[in-house]
Amino acid sequence: MDSNPPSLEALTRRLIAFRDARNWRQFHSLKDLIVSLNLEAGELLELTQWKSEDAFEREAESDGMRARLAEECADVLVYLLLIAERTGIDLPAAAADKIAANEAKYPADKAYGSAAKYTEL
């Protein structure tokens, strides 16, 4: 693994340069990007199909499955970056805001060890 991975901003710049060098923005409507994100998320989910939780956890430790997981996760991230770029969403800021909102909805002293929804805490 690279000891100095690129930032989301750097990845987005590289992705946009890749897309624009091929004149593909014309195919990237917001709707189609969202559809594509979900199709790729479905491919990630497909890796778990017909496997028990324990069996999948064990398989995920193998180099082959880790490579497949990495590829599908990357596909999901690429479409998410394109959606964020298209809509002007700052993903790190949006994620930080979401974590803060969840911290307020799920205080550790009430939610610890519980899978209950915040309305049930």
Side-chain angles (χ1 to χ4, degrees):
M1 179 176 280
D2 188 350
S3 62
N4 196 12
S7 67
L8 288 181
E9 183 179 322
L11 282 173
T12 301
R13 283 193 307 270
R14 183 173 176 195
L15 177 60
I16 297 309
F18 172 87
R19 178 201 67 195
D20 291 350
R22 290 154 182 81
N23 192 27
W24 286 353
R25 189 178 193 285
Q26 64 181 316
F27 308 118
H28 290 178
S29 71
L30 183 56
K31 179 209 61 99
D32 286 338
L33 291 172
I34 292 170
V35 167
S36 296
L37 171 77
N38 282 276
L39 292 171
E40 294 300 341
E43 290 182 19
L44 182 61
L45 180 61
E46 186 178 25
L47 297 177
T48 71
Q49 189 175 28
W50 314 122
K51 299 169 186 167
S52 71
E53 285 183 38
D54 290 339
F56 184 69
E57 288 285 342
R58 284 190 303 276
E59 188 178 0
E61 294 174 5
S62 74
D63 290 342
M65 179 54 77
R66 285 175 51 91
R68 292 177 69 195
L69 286 165
E71 185 174 341
E72 297 305 338
C73 286
D75 286 341
V76 169
L77 178 60
V78 162
Y79 280 110
L80 187 59
L81 291 174
L82 287 169
I83 292 166
E85 186 270 339
R86 181 71 180 251
T87 58
I89 294 170
D90 178 336
L91 282 175
D97 290 347
K98 183 64 175 182
I99 293 168
N102 284 339
E103 287 170 337
K105 288 194 310 191
Y106 295 96
D109 63 325
K110 292 182 181 178
Y112 188 83
S114 172
K117 187 171 179 171
Y118 68 93
T119 56
E120 298 171 7
L121 295 176

